[in-house]
């Protein structure tokens, strides 16, 4: 995560503290589960001994028995998810303006993609399969929601989604605060191949239609 200000440093410190607390809670839960399993094994043994009655121990055979302690389960999926989140952290300082095309409408496409992709996206050749509405969210919350939404849509194999950022009519000075931020965040997402301003029927200047890559495209 890039740190550009004291506020970013504070958020990073809070995030590290939260993760440390979660890890401690996970370790405590694993230790409790192990203790419960050991207690259950003692009870099962006592129940077996009562069921079979008196027994005579076997004679010592003189062989060493190697005891292998059962390793504690590791939360590998959670760790992988956390690493993915840190890799995909979005910066507000990223300048996406030079990467956007502003012909009759705003658009973006990855290098190597022809303008026909943008035209087809504007014509609605890909059906919109999911939508995220960021109205009323603070910047930090909107950034987190957008990152998770794009990541999950790509994981599900979706190709085309709509992101509603609003026109800023309710913001101070009627300035669209989230609009530029959303453009910058989407450009930083490797899952995003292209996006265009939505048609009037799909939200117009207050929304974007986003084309996501498939597994065959690899990573940017």
């Amino acid at each position: 995560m890039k740190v550009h200000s004291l506020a970013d440093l504070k958020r990073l410190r809070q995030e590290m503290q939260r993760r440390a607390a979660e890890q401690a809670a996970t370790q405590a839960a694993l230790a409790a589960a192990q203790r419960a399993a050991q207690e259950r094994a003692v009870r099962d043994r006592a129940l077996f001994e009562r069921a079979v009655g008196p027994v005579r121990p076997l004679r010592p055979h003189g062989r060493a028995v190697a005891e292998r302690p059962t390793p504690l389960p590791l939360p590998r999926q959670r760790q992988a998810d956390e690493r993915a989140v840190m890799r995909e952290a979005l910066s507000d300082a990223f300048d996406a303006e030079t990467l956007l095309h502003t012909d009759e409408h705003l658009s973006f496409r990855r290098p190597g993609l022809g303008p026909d992709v943008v035209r087809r996206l504007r014509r609605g050749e890909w059906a919109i399969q999911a939508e995220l509405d960021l109205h009323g969210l603070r910047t930090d919350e909107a950034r987190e929601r957008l990152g998770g939404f794009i990541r999950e849509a790509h994981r599900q194999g979706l190709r085309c989604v709509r992101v509603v950022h609003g026109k800023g009519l309710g913001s101070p000075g009627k300035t669209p605060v989230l609009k530029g931020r959303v453009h910058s965040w989407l450009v930083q997402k490797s899952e995003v191949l292209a996006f265009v301003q939505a048609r009037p029927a799909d939200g117009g200047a207050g929304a974007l239609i986003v084309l996501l890559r498939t597994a065959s495209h690899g990573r940017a």
Side-chain angles (χ1 to χ4, degrees):
M1 178 177 181
K2 296 182 180 179
V3 176
H4 299 281
S5 65
L6 291 177
D8 290 342
L9 183 61
K10 182 178 179 181
R11 285 196 296 270
L12 179 59
R13 182 178 181 182
Q14 291 174 342
E15 180 66 13
M16 293 175 65
Q17 290 174 342
R18 182 185 67 81
R19 292 179 188 278
E22 289 182 355
Q23 185 175 8
T26 300
Q27 292 175 346
L30 293 175
Q34 188 176 38
R35 289 195 300 271
Q38 292 172 346
E39 293 172 357
R40 186 165 56 252
V42 172
R43 291 196 301 270
D44 290 345
R45 180 176 179 179
L47 180 62
F48 174 79
E49 290 176 350
R50 289 197 299 270
V52 301
V55 295
R56 184 175 61 186
L58 296 175
R59 294 179 181 179
H61 48 64
R63 296 190 298 270
V65 179
E67 296 185 359
R68 297 181 180 179
T70 302
L72 293 175
L74 296 177
R76 298 187 184 278
Q77 185 58 52
R78 181 176 64 81
Q79 293 173 352
D81 291 342
E82 290 178 352
R83 287 194 296 269
V85 170
M86 294 304 293
R87 284 197 306 270
E88 297 169 6
L90 304 177
S91 172
D92 289 339
F94 185 87
D95 183 10
E97 292 300 319
T98 58
L99 303 176
L100 303 179
H101 303 276
T102 53
D103 39 21
E104 69 272 20
H105 297 292
L106 177 142
S107 66
F108 163 80
R109 67 178 187 273
R110 292 281 176 200
L113 292 180
D116 61 307
V117 172
V118 172
R119 289 194 294 267
R120 293 171 60 194
L121 195 57
R122 283 192 180 129
R123 289 198 298 263
E125 293 192 16
W126 285 280
I128 297 174
Q129 298 169 292
E131 176 182 301
L132 174 67
D133 191 342
L134 300 175
H135 274 112
L137 300 184
R138 298 189 303 272
T139 300
D140 289 345
E141 187 177 5
R143 183 197 303 112
E144 182 178 349
R145 288 274 191 90
L146 180 65
F149 173 73
I150 294 297
R151 186 169 59 252
E152 180 62 18
H154 179 258
R155 188 188 70 80
Q156 294 181 12
L158 306 186
R159 289 304 315 278
C160 185
V161 297
R162 176 168 51 206
V163 176
V164 180
H165 49 66
K167 299 179 181 179
L169 300 179
S171 303
K174 297 189 181 301
T175 301
V177 177
L178 283 181
K179 185 174 183 178
R181 297 287 178 85
V182 170
H183 296 164
S184 173
W185 297 336
L186 287 176
V187 169
Q188 295 177 68
K189 295 295 293 179
S190 62
E191 299 93 340
V192 174
L193 284 178
F195 60 77
V196 299
Q197 180 175 299
R199 295 177 295 180
D202 294 325
L208 296 171
I209 307 301
V210 183
L211 182 66
L212 303 179
R213 69 173 68 250
T214 60
S216 61
H217 280 97
R219 294 184 65 87

